[in-house]
Amino acid sequence: ELSDELLNNLYQGIKAEGYEGFDTLKEEQVAWVKDKMKQEKSLSNDELIKYQTLVNLTLDRCDDLNRYSYYGY
């Protein structure tokens, strides 16, 4: 949940900055969330593996959003 909170804060920060490509970013984010949910359904019943995988996916997306925030892509 902490990684999701970080992701949401990054996303909201980019939105608040008035990033000119935000509509494209929003479409990418919606697609990413759908893909994450799909992957979650297909993950092992082992809760630790599931949690680690979802956290890693979310942190990778945080890196993507940081690039948008700092470099505009």
Side-chain angles (χ1 to χ4, degrees), residues 20-69:
E20 70 180 55
F22 186 76
D23 289 339
T24 301
L25 176 62
K26 183 178 179 179
E27 290 173 13
E28 290 176 9
Q29 187 67 11
V30 168
W32 180 85
V33 169
K34 287 179 182 179
D35 185 57
K36 181 182 174 189
M37 292 171 66
K38 183 179 175 183
Q39 288 188 50
E40 182 176 8
K41 289 179 183 177
S42 69
L43 288 171
S44 163
N45 288 332
D46 182 326
E47 289 297 314
L48 180 58
I49 292 172
K50 186 180 224 178
Y51 178 75
Q52 288 175 329
T53 302
L54 294 173
V55 166
N56 287 334
L57 287 170
T58 304
L59 292 176
D60 287 347
R61 184 62 182 162
C62 288
D63 286 342
D64 293 342
L65 292 185
N66 273 323
R67 280 191 287 283
Y68 273 101
S69 180

